[in-house]
Every structure is written in C-alpha cells, then in structure tokens.
Amino acid sequence: MVLGLVKFTGLSTRLLNICVHSLCKFRKIEKAETLITDGIRLGVSPDVVTYNTLITGYCRFVGIEEAYAVTRRMRDAGIRPDVATYNSLIAGAARRLMLDRVLYLFDEMLEWGLYPDLWSYNTLMCCYFKLGKQDEAFRVLYKDLRLAGLSPGPDTYNVLLDALCKCGYVDDALEMFREMQSRFKPGLMTYNILINGLCKARRVGTAKWMLTELKRSGYTPNAVTYTTILKLYFKTRRIRRGLELFLEMKREGYTYDGYAYFAVVSALVKTGRTKEAFEYMQELVRNGRRHDIVSYNTLLNLYFREGDLDAVDDLLGEIERKGMKADEYTHTIIVNGLLRTGQTRRAEKHFVSMGEMGIGLNLVTCNCLVDGLCKAGHVDRALRLFESMEVKDEYTYTCVVHNLCKETRFVCASKLLLSCYSKGIKIPSSARRAVLSGLRMSGCYGEARMAKAKMKLAQVGDS
DNA sequence: ATAGGGTTAG
C-alpha cells in the first residue's frame, strides 16, 4: 500500500531497495521476498540493486546455492547480473573459504563479458591469505591486478596489512604501511589493523607509537581501537588498568556494541572473579543486548567455572531451542568444562562426537584434552593423543612438558623441550626451569648440564 | 572484501 502511494513520486524502486536492504540486514529474507513479490504486483519493479541486495542477504544468512539461484531469477526477469552481483557471490564463497567456487565465479563473470574489479581481486587475495596460500595471494597483488589494468587501492592495502599481521609478519606489514603512506592517506581502519597486529605480537612500544600516529593524522580512536588496547592490558595481566579503561570507555559511550564487555568478562573469569563477571553479563542483558553465540559461549564458560552444571544444561538447551549453532568455541568450552569438573569420560565422549558431527579437529580442544587427561592421571592416553596430533603449538608442548615433570619423567620432558627449541616454538621459561630443576633434583646432573648447554645453543641460533 | 568480543599451558 505504501509502495503504491510512493510510486507517483518516482522513488518507488529506490524505496523498495531501501526496505529490502534493511530486511536483509536483519535476516528477514523471506519478508524481503514477500515485499518484492508485493512490489511487482503493485507495479514496482525490482532492479539490479534489489536483486544484488537480496543475494547479499542469502549469502550471509542462507547459503551460496540459494544466493546463486537468485541470479537465474534475475535473468528470467530480464535483468543482467553485474559486477556487484558477482562480487556479492564471490564474497559469500570467500567467507566460507570455498576457493573453487570463487574461481568458478571469476570464470563465469568473464564468460558473461563482465570484468572483475578491484573489489573482486581484493576478495580473492583475502581468500588466498585466509587459506594460507600466500604465494597465490601475492600473485593476485603483483600480477593479476596489473594484467587487469588495475592498481592496489587503500582497501587492498588494508587486506594485505591485516593478513601480514595475522601470519606473524608484523615488520613486513609496517614496511608495506610506509609504502601505502607514499600513495594514500591511511584510514582509521588501517591504524586499527596495525595496532591490533602489534598488540597481538606484544610489540607494545610500537603499538603505542601507532596510536599517536593515528591521532596525529587527525583521527579519533573509536570503539575498535579502545577494545584492542583493552585486550592488550588483559593479556599482559594488567587487570586493574584494563578495568579502569573499560570504565572510561563506558563513560565516553564506547561500549555500545558490547564487544568490550566480553573482553572484561573473560578476563575476570580467568582470574577467578566470577561474581563480578556475572554482574557485567547481567548489565549487558539489561542494556537490551540479545545473546549471540559469543555471548552464550562466555556465559557457558562462566557456569562451568562456577561448577553450576544445572545452569550449563539449561543454557545448552536454550541455545538449541533458539536454533543457534554451537561453534568450535562452544565445543572447546564444553570439553574443557567437563574436564575441569572431573568428568573425563564425558569429555572424551563429547570430543569423539565432535568428530562424528563433522566438526574438524580443533587444536585448542585437543590441547585441553591432552592437559585434562594428564591431570586426571591418564598420562599415557594423553601422550597417545599428543602423538596423533598433526598440528601442535606452544600450548600443546608447554602443558605436556609440565605434566611430564609432575610425573617425574624429566628426561622425557627434557627431550621434548629441546625439540621445541629446534622447531623454533616459544616455550615459557617456567617449563625450562621445571625441567632443569627436576633433572638436578633426581640426580641427573649430566643430563641437566647437557640440556642447559643445548638450550643456550638453540637460543644463540635463534637470534 | 579489510579492524575490536568468546576457548587452552605456566
């Protein structure tokens, strides 16, 4: 009815698009479809923008196949998909890391006489980086773009800088940042990407400098900047400082989206301050925030820490009732929670069922299980799992080294520790101390001397 | 398409 009235102003399709856009944004895809049908009945024709918006919605909330099916409907309606249509589909496929599909869409675009634009290539490069295919990503940057007659834009640099930081090449990112500065004025997002990369790499001094650069460029730190710094405080165990910053953020109105709350709650849970953690969670709900899976995970972890297993069961039921999908964090929290509450068998069973549900093996979950099995006295079972793991990280090694020491298997622990040095895996010095003092205490002075010498050598080789 | 929130060792 409203659309019928507005038709006279000539704005009808634009209004339709605005409505479809906001419906899609809030997951109301079916309502958007109904609106389009009603529009057609009233003589308001959808255009390419309408369909592109719908496709973006399907990609986000439904699936690639369903989104792709819309392109056929477009063609039937006599509307030709454009570059933006394909960019939406490519983005959807890239988000799911479906590289084959991304490449197929590039081909199909060309077949229809459409040329991928900078946005398409940015997405492709990002997808390669996320899959760890750095060579291919750089090929897009240095070759494909040039062949297409395009050159990197500010967004290309943002994708690149973020990917470099996340692969651990923060210095390369900084170098690339300088290159970027010679061509464009970096945006606030660029600074946030670098500050985040520097904080995660614990390059606190450089991160602080980057923050002053951000301000010097005329920007004001936003909620993202603040949350990044907040996380740094918690990671470096400056809990009080972090809480002070959080209160400041609250005063200034930077906590509107709730992200900072979760950082605070998890820091409080880690330090055993579950009561305060609950208060913040309640505050969040009072502020009208609906639970998403992240918020459920935080709450779930909180209940496990409290040992409130009834609350855990209730919450899991609620998650299921709401049709929310448990993710890898949920499963890790469950496995770890069961282990910590002494339910080793149930934890193992849940772990097995994860495999049956087709959830890929998750490193963190494995780490929790290795540690939990050791602590429950099943060291041999833990070691078997440890041997079977294809990917291991510093957490894996640290917990096994410590648990071996607890079992007074110092020689074994020492061998493992030394293998870390040769692999370049950073192990906290507490593990080193545990091994060396253990060896000495059990009278293995020769082994202790030898291990110490080898560690020294490895460290020299490091630098 | 690109930035910040939730899981693990000591």
Side-chain angles (χ1 to χ4, degrees), chain A residues 145-210:
Chain A
L145 271 186
R146 190 143 24 95
L147 287 176
L150 300 164
S151 54
D155 300 327
T156 317
Y157 278 99
N158 284 343
V159 173
L160 186 60
L161 294 180
D162 189 48
L164 286 173
C165 286
K166 291 197 165 130
C167 297
Y169 306 122
V170 184
D171 287 308
D172 295 291
L174 288 174
E175 201 174 303
M176 204 56 92
F177 173 64
R178 273 182 284 266
E179 185 188 308
M180 178 187 186
Q181 276 179 308
S182 68
R183 306 185 52 196
F184 311 101
K185 180 176 165 16
L188 178 56
M189 194 188 271
T190 317
Y191 288 101
N192 281 341
I193 288 168
L194 289 169
I195 291 171
N196 183 44
L198 289 162
C199 284
K200 293 238 163 91
R202 301 209 181 211
R203 303 266 295 268
V204 181
T206 319
K208 274 191 178 156
W209 171 79
M210 198 54 79

Side-chain angles (χ1 to χ4, degrees), chain A residues 387-399:
Chain A
E387 298 296 343
S388 75
M389 286 168 65
E390 277 172 28
V391 197
K392 296 168 183 143
D393 65 359
E394 65 267 31
Y395 283 85
T396 329
Y397 288 104
T398 309
C399 88

Side-chain angles (χ1 to χ4, degrees), chain A residues 152-429:
Chain A
D155 300 327
T156 317
Y157 278 99
N158 284 343
V159 173
L160 186 60
L161 294 180
D162 189 48
L164 286 173
C165 286
K166 291 197 165 130
C167 297
Y169 306 122
V170 184
D171 287 308
D172 295 291
L174 288 174
E175 201 174 303
M176 204 56 92
F177 173 64
R178 273 182 284 266
E179 185 188 308
M180 178 187 186
Q181 276 179 308
S182 68
R183 306 185 52 196
F184 311 101
K185 180 176 165 16
L188 178 56
M189 194 188 271
T190 317
Y191 288 101
N192 281 341
I193 288 168
L194 289 169
I195 291 171
N196 183 44
L198 289 162
C199 284
K200 293 238 163 91
R202 301 209 181 211
R203 303 266 295 268
V204 181
T206 319
K208 274 191 178 156
W209 171 79
M210 198 54 79
L211 183 61
T212 60
E213 286 295 296
L214 178 156
K215 291 176 186 158
R216 222 168 52 94
S217 306
Y219 295 111
T220 311
N222 64 6
V224 178
T225 327
Y226 276 108
T227 313
T228 309
I229 309 283
L230 186 68
K231 287 281 295 172
L232 175 69
Y233 284 149
F234 289 141
K235 206 170 104 175
T236 53
R237 307 215 163 151
R238 285 177 282 176
I239 310 287
R240 230 186 58 202
R241 188 95 188 257
L243 288 174
E244 277 163 18
L245 179 64
F246 177 70
L247 292 178
E248 189 187 316
M249 286 171 72
K250 255 169 92 168
R251 268 201 307 277
E252 306 285 333
Y254 281 111
T255 53
Y256 51 85
D257 57 8
Y259 274 43
Y261 272 90
F262 296 111
V264 170
V265 169
S266 88
L268 288 172
V269 172
K270 277 205 181 92
T271 48
R273 294 158 70 169
T274 44
K275 200 163 168 295
E276 288 160 89
F278 264 121
E279 281 161 14
Y280 281 118
M281 281 306 281
Q282 276 160 3
E283 198 171 292
L284 206 49
V285 175
R286 268 205 304 279
N287 292 346
R289 195 192 148 86
R290 287 240 308 271
H291 285 300
D292 59 9
I293 192 63
V294 173
S295 130
Y296 275 124
N297 287 341
T298 310
L299 209 50
L300 193 63
N301 192 36
L302 196 43
Y303 287 137
F304 266 123
R305 293 286 174 141
E306 286 271 270
D308 191 347
L309 298 176
D310 289 335
V312 165
D313 284 338
D314 287 348
L315 196 64
L316 286 174
E318 189 181 326
I319 293 172
E320 213 182 314
R321 268 201 311 283
K322 292 237 173 104
M324 208 85 79
K325 216 173 135 38
D327 64 6
E328 52 180 325
Y329 284 84
T330 323
H331 290 295
T332 308
I333 291 165
I334 292 171
V335 169
N336 193 42
L338 289 172
L339 288 165
R340 291 178 73 112
T341 49
Q343 308 180 72
T344 318
R345 289 237 70 101
R346 270 187 74 189
E348 280 181 290
K349 259 169 87 179
H350 190 88
F351 182 72
V352 173
S353 74
M354 282 168 67
E356 287 162 0
M357 284 187 280
I359 299 159
L361 267 194
N362 173 275
L363 175 60
V364 183
T365 320
C366 290
N367 286 345
C368 292
L369 202 55
V370 169
D371 190 44
L373 285 173
C374 285
K375 293 208 163 100
H378 309 295
V379 181
D380 290 328
R381 237 188 294 163
L383 287 179
R384 236 175 294 143
L385 176 60
F386 174 77
E387 298 296 343
S388 75
M389 286 168 65
E390 277 172 28
V391 197
K392 296 168 183 143
D393 65 359
E394 65 267 31
Y395 283 85
T396 329
Y397 288 104
T398 309
C399 88
V400 173
V401 167
H402 272 288
N403 281 306
L404 284 171
C405 286
K406 260 186 226 152
E407 295 278 310
T408 68
R409 291 160 73 169
F410 300 113
V411 179
C412 197
S414 162
K415 270 191 196 141
L416 195 60
L417 183 63
L418 285 170
S419 80
C420 290
Y421 283 99
S422 59
K423 289 188 191 104
I425 295 166
K426 300 231 186 308
I427 291 275
S429 51

Side-chain angles (χ1 to χ4, degrees), chain A residues 56-70:
Chain A
T56 308
Y58 272 108
C59 278
R60 270 223 122 79
F61 302 118
V62 189
I64 297 295
E65 298 304 332
E66 290 81 353
Y68 188 76
V70 179

Side-chain angles (χ1 to χ4, degrees), chain A residues 104-122:
Chain A
Y104 172 83
L105 288 163
F106 263 80
D107 285 343
E108 196 181 270
M109 248 170 124
L110 288 168
E111 274 168 31
W112 285 99
L114 294 168
Y115 290 96
D117 63 5
L118 194 51
W119 195 312
S120 328
Y121 286 109
N122 287 348

